[in-house]
Amino acid sequence: MTSPPAPAPTVEAMIALVNQVCANFARAEVARATAEHSTSRAEYDNSIARAGEWDALVNEQWRALAKALRVGLPKGAQVERFQPVRPLPNGHVELHLHDPSARRLVVLLTGEQALAVGAHLTATGAIVLDRIGQLNSGLPHVKAAPPFAPNGTVRQPATPPDAAGPPADRP
């Protein structure tokens, strides 16, 4: 007679277990960093011993997490091979794309560059959708900025600042 399968863990229990693994991993890393900055051999040994204790706990909790995942996902979970945007641990971002010849390209961006690219794409997409009349999300109309005169002064805006809605079409 075989034992009945273990009940699937709840989402809350899985998240709690992941948080425990992460917290204890961080504690082990802090203990190792403390050891590197120790001023005596005894302090170093104590910090390394604490890191070892945290590592042992992480390994135990990792095995429990893996078991819970196997119970919760009996068919197994597959790693998604294609992630068009992938954050890296060093703060950089990989942008995966294909050129017109279907060659795979990977663009490496800093976090700041990725944020700028994302903001530009969002703004451009909003402008395009607005121009073709498909931006119906209830966002207010963006008023045109006044153009700059050649001498560096600002010209009078085409739409008064207190006007509601988009500027009227001109003949």
Side-chain angles (χ1 to χ4, degrees), residues 122-165:
T122 302
T124 303
I127 291 168
V128 168
L129 289 175
D130 185 51
R131 285 184 180 165
I132 63 173
Q134 292 186 0
L135 187 64
N136 300 323
S137 64
L139 295 174
H141 175 74
V142 178
K143 293 181 179 131
F148 288 98
N151 62 3
T153 61
V154 178
R155 292 186 192 156
Q156 192 63 18
T159 305
D162 56 345

Coordinates of all heavy atoms in Angstrom, one line a residue, residues 122-165:
T122 N 7.3 53.9 -24.6 CA 6.0 54.2 -24.0 C 5.4 55.5 -24.6 O 4.3 55.6 -25.0 CB 6.0 54.2 -22.5 OG1 6.5 53.0 -22.0 CG2 4.6 54.5 -21.9
A123 N 6.2 56.5 -24.5 CA 5.8 57.8 -25.0 C 5.5 57.8 -26.5 O 4.4 58.3 -27.0 CB 6.8 58.9 -24.7
T124 N 6.3 57.2 -27.3 CA 6.1 57.1 -28.7 C 4.9 56.3 -29.0 O 4.1 56.6 -29.9 CB 7.3 56.4 -29.4 OG1 8.5 57.2 -29.1 CG2 7.2 56.4 -30.9
G125 N 4.7 55.2 -28.3 CA 3.5 54.3 -28.5 C 2.2 55.1 -28.2 O 1.2 55.0 -28.9
A126 N 2.3 55.9 -27.1 CA 1.1 56.7 -26.8 C 0.8 57.8 -27.8 O -0.4 58.0 -28.2 CB 1.3 57.4 -25.4
I127 N 1.8 58.4 -28.3 CA 1.6 59.4 -29.4 C 1.0 58.8 -30.6 O 0.1 59.3 -31.2 CB 3.0 60.1 -29.7 CG1 3.4 61.0 -28.6 CG2 2.9 60.9 -31.0 CD1 4.8 61.5 -28.6
V128 N 1.6 57.6 -31.0 CA 1.0 56.9 -32.2 C -0.4 56.5 -32.0 O -1.3 56.8 -32.9 CB 1.9 55.7 -32.6 CG1 1.2 54.8 -33.6 CG2 3.3 56.2 -33.0
L129 N -0.7 55.9 -30.9 CA -2.1 55.6 -30.6 C -3.1 56.8 -30.6 O -4.2 56.7 -31.1 CB -2.2 54.8 -29.3 CG -1.6 53.4 -29.4 CD1 -1.7 52.7 -28.0 CD2 -2.3 52.5 -30.4
D130 N -2.6 57.9 -30.0 CA -3.4 59.1 -30.0 C -3.6 59.6 -31.4 O -4.8 60.0 -31.7 CB -2.7 60.1 -29.1 CG -3.5 61.4 -29.0 OD1 -4.7 61.3 -28.6 OD2 -3.0 62.5 -29.2
R131 N -2.6 59.6 -32.2 CA -2.7 60.1 -33.6 C -3.7 59.3 -34.4 O -4.4 59.8 -35.3 CB -1.4 60.2 -34.3 CG -0.6 61.4 -33.8 CD 0.7 61.5 -34.5 NE 1.5 62.6 -34.0 CZ 2.8 62.8 -34.2 NH1 3.5 61.9 -34.9 NH2 3.4 63.8 -33.7
I132 N -3.8 58.0 -34.2 CA -4.7 57.2 -35.0 C -6.0 57.0 -34.3 O -6.8 56.2 -34.8 CB -4.0 55.8 -35.4 CG1 -3.7 55.0 -34.1 CG2 -2.8 56.0 -36.2 CD1 -3.2 53.6 -34.5
G133 N -6.2 57.7 -33.2 CA -7.5 57.6 -32.5 C -7.8 56.4 -31.7 O -8.9 56.1 -31.5
Q134 N -6.8 55.7 -31.3 CA -7.0 54.5 -30.5 C -6.6 54.6 -29.1 O -6.5 53.6 -28.4 CB -6.2 53.3 -31.2 CG -6.8 52.9 -32.5 CD -6.2 51.7 -33.1 OE1 -5.3 51.1 -32.5 NE2 -6.6 51.3 -34.3
L135 N -6.2 55.8 -28.6 CA -5.9 55.9 -27.2 C -7.1 56.4 -26.5 O -7.4 57.6 -26.4 CB -4.7 56.9 -27.1 CG -4.2 57.1 -25.7 CD1 -3.5 55.8 -25.2 CD2 -3.1 58.2 -25.6
N136 N -7.9 55.5 -26.0 CA -9.2 55.8 -25.3 C -9.1 55.4 -23.9 O -10.1 55.0 -23.3 CB -10.3 55.1 -26.0 CG -10.4 55.4 -27.5 OD1 -10.2 56.6 -27.8 ND2 -10.8 54.5 -28.3
S137 N -8.0 55.6 -23.2 CA -7.8 55.2 -21.9 C -8.3 56.2 -20.9 O -8.1 56.0 -19.7 CB -6.4 54.8 -21.6 OG -5.6 55.9 -21.7
G138 N -8.8 57.3 -21.3 CA -9.2 58.4 -20.4 C -8.1 59.3 -20.0 O -8.3 60.1 -19.1
L139 N -6.9 59.2 -20.6 CA -5.9 60.1 -20.3 C -6.2 61.4 -20.8 O -6.8 61.6 -21.9 CB -4.5 59.6 -20.9 CG -4.0 58.3 -20.4 CD1 -2.8 57.8 -21.2 CD2 -3.6 58.4 -18.9
P140 N -5.8 62.5 -20.1 CA -6.0 63.8 -20.7 C -5.1 64.1 -21.9 O -4.1 63.5 -22.1 CB -5.6 64.8 -19.5 CG -4.6 63.9 -18.7 CD -5.1 62.5 -18.9
H141 N -5.6 65.0 -22.7 CA -4.9 65.3 -23.9 C -3.6 66.1 -23.5 O -3.6 66.9 -22.6 CB -5.7 66.2 -24.8 CG -5.0 66.7 -26.0 ND1 -4.7 65.9 -27.1 CD2 -4.4 67.9 -26.3 CE1 -4.0 66.6 -28.0 NE2 -3.8 67.8 -27.5
V142 N -2.5 65.8 -24.2 CA -1.2 66.4 -23.9 C -1.2 67.7 -24.8 O -1.3 67.6 -26.0 CB 0.0 65.5 -24.3 CG1 1.3 66.2 -24.0 CG2 -0.1 64.2 -23.4
K143 N -1.0 68.8 -24.1 CA -1.0 70.1 -24.8 C 0.4 70.2 -25.5 O 1.4 69.8 -25.0 CB -1.2 71.2 -23.9 CG -2.6 71.2 -23.3 CD -2.8 72.4 -22.4 CE -4.2 72.4 -21.9 NZ -4.3 72.5 -20.4
A144 N 0.4 70.8 -26.7 CA 1.6 71.1 -27.4 C 2.4 72.1 -26.6 O 1.9 73.0 -26.1 CB 1.3 71.6 -28.8
A145 N 3.7 71.8 -26.6 CA 4.7 72.7 -26.0 C 4.9 73.9 -26.9 O 4.9 73.8 -28.1 CB 6.0 72.1 -25.7
P146 N 5.0 75.1 -26.3 CA 5.2 76.3 -27.2 C 6.6 76.1 -27.9 O 7.5 75.7 -27.3 CB 5.3 77.5 -26.2 CG 5.5 76.9 -24.9 CD 5.0 75.5 -24.9
P147 N 6.6 76.5 -29.2 CA 7.9 76.4 -29.9 C 8.9 77.5 -29.5 O 8.5 78.5 -29.0 CB 7.4 76.6 -31.4 CG 6.2 77.4 -31.3 CD 5.5 77.0 -30.0
F148 N 10.1 77.2 -29.6 CA 11.2 78.1 -29.3 C 11.4 79.0 -30.5 O 11.5 78.6 -31.6 CB 12.4 77.4 -28.9 CG 12.3 76.7 -27.6 CD1 12.0 75.4 -27.5 CD2 12.5 77.5 -26.4 CE1 11.9 74.8 -26.2 CE2 12.4 76.9 -25.2 CZ 12.1 75.5 -25.1
A149 N 11.6 80.3 -30.2 CA 12.0 81.3 -31.2 C 13.5 81.2 -31.4 O 14.2 80.7 -30.6 CB 11.6 82.7 -30.8
P150 N 14.0 81.6 -32.6 CA 15.4 81.6 -32.9 C 16.3 82.3 -31.8 O 17.4 81.9 -31.6 CB 15.6 82.2 -34.2 CG 14.2 82.2 -34.8 CD 13.2 82.1 -33.7
N151 N 15.8 83.3 -31.2 CA 16.6 84.0 -30.2 C 16.5 83.4 -28.8 O 17.1 83.9 -27.8 CB 16.1 85.5 -30.1 CG 14.7 85.6 -29.6 OD1 14.0 84.6 -29.3 ND2 14.2 86.8 -29.6
G152 N 15.9 82.2 -28.7 CA 15.9 81.5 -27.4 C 14.7 81.8 -26.5 O 14.5 81.2 -25.5
T153 N 13.8 82.7 -26.9 CA 12.6 83.0 -26.2 C 11.5 82.1 -26.6 O 11.5 81.5 -27.6 CB 12.2 84.5 -26.4 OG1 11.9 84.7 -27.8 CG2 13.2 85.5 -26.0
V154 N 10.5 82.0 -25.7 CA 9.4 81.1 -26.0 C 8.3 81.9 -26.7 O 7.9 83.0 -26.3 CB 8.9 80.5 -24.7 CG1 7.7 79.6 -25.0 CG2 10.0 79.7 -24.0
R155 N 7.8 81.3 -27.8 CA 6.7 82.0 -28.5 C 5.4 81.7 -27.8 O 5.3 80.7 -27.0 CB 6.6 81.4 -29.9 CG 7.7 81.8 -30.8 CD 7.5 81.3 -32.2 NE 8.7 81.4 -33.0 CZ 8.9 80.7 -34.1 NH1 8.0 79.9 -34.5 NH2 10.0 80.9 -34.8
Q156 N 4.4 82.4 -28.1 CA 3.0 82.2 -27.6 C 2.5 80.8 -28.0 O 2.7 80.4 -29.1 CB 2.1 83.3 -28.0 CG 0.8 83.3 -27.3 CD 1.0 83.7 -25.8 OE1 2.0 84.2 -25.4 NE2 0.0 83.4 -25.0
P157 N 2.0 80.0 -27.1 CA 1.5 78.7 -27.4 C 0.3 78.7 -28.4 O -0.4 79.7 -28.4 CB 1.1 78.0 -26.1 CG 0.9 79.1 -25.2 CD 1.8 80.3 -25.6
A158 N 0.2 77.7 -29.3 CA -0.9 77.7 -30.2 C -2.2 77.5 -29.5 O -3.2 78.0 -29.9 CB -0.7 76.6 -31.2
T159 N -2.2 76.8 -28.4 CA -3.4 76.5 -27.6 C -3.2 77.2 -26.2 O -2.2 77.0 -25.6 CB -3.6 75.0 -27.3 OG1 -3.6 74.4 -28.6 CG2 -4.8 74.7 -26.6
P160 N -4.1 78.1 -25.8 CA -4.0 78.7 -24.5 C -3.9 77.7 -23.4 O -4.5 76.6 -23.5 CB -5.2 79.6 -24.4 CG -5.8 79.7 -25.8 CD -5.3 78.5 -26.5
P161 N -3.1 77.9 -22.4 CA -2.9 76.9 -21.3 C -4.2 76.5 -20.7 O -4.3 75.4 -20.2 CB -2.0 77.6 -20.3 CG -1.5 78.9 -20.9 CD -2.3 79.1 -22.1
D162 N -5.2 77.4 -20.6 CA -6.5 77.0 -20.0 C -7.5 76.4 -20.9 O -8.6 76.1 -20.5 CB -7.0 78.2 -19.3 CG -7.3 79.4 -20.3 OD1 -6.7 79.4 -21.4 OD2 -8.0 80.3 -19.9
A163 N -7.1 76.1 -22.2 CA -8.0 75.6 -23.1 C -8.2 74.1 -22.8 O -7.3 73.4 -22.4 CB -7.5 75.7 -24.5
A164 N -9.5 73.6 -23.0 CA -9.8 72.2 -22.7 C -9.7 71.5 -24.0 O -10.2 71.9 -25.0 CB -11.2 72.1 -22.1
G165 N -9.1 70.3 -24.0 CA -9.1 69.4 -25.1 C -8.0 69.8 -26.1 O -7.2 70.7 -25.9

